Amino acid sequence: MTSLKRSAHPATARCRRSEQFKDEVYRQMFRLEASRPGAEMELALALLRAWQDADAKPEDMEERQWLRKICPICLEMIEAAVQSGGSTGPQVH
């Protein structure tokens, strides 16, 4: 009996990775809304990773359009959290 090795189509793999970046950004947005310590930094890092991925594949305009829509919202959330006294890292007591 031989095992079949399944390989994902390159476009499918790129789409899946793009969806993972979107999930990560949304997850961090929820963490920031819940006032979790360090969520501002994690959201900023998730956005940077998503932009890096988008830059690696310039043919994917859908991901870039999504980033152009979501980034202003995320930046407002980060600024509001920082202004309200949120921390940018884990709190040390």
Side-chain angles (χ1 to χ4, degrees):
M1 179 185 281
T2 61
S3 67
L4 296 175
K5 192 184 266 188
R6 295 182 187 184
S7 62
H9 189 272
T12 304
R14 280 194 304 268
C15 182
R16 188 174 300 132
R17 190 171 66 217
S18 175
E19 291 301 316
Q20 288 173 342
F21 285 113
K22 286 181 182 180
D23 288 345
E24 179 65 17
V25 168
Y26 287 131
R27 187 177 312 113
Q28 298 307 328
M29 289 172 74
F30 283 123
R31 288 184 75 242
L32 185 55
E33 277 292 310
S35 300
R36 296 280 179 95
E40 305 92 350
M41 182 64 73
E42 293 298 324
L43 177 55
L45 291 172
L47 287 170
L48 285 173
R49 285 189 286 268
W51 274 110
Q52 283 181 323
D53 183 62
D55 285 344
K57 49 184 182 172
E59 70 280 356
D60 188 357
M61 291 304 295
E62 183 180 325
E63 185 175 3
R64 289 174 177 272
Q65 289 173 344
W66 175 79
L67 282 164
R68 285 187 192 112
K69 289 178 185 177
I70 202 74
C71 277
I73 297 166
C74 292
L75 291 176
E76 285 180 23
M77 290 176 69
I78 292 168
E79 288 174 356
V82 169
Q83 289 175 356
S84 70
S87 68
T88 57
Q91 294 179 348
V92 179
H93 295 275

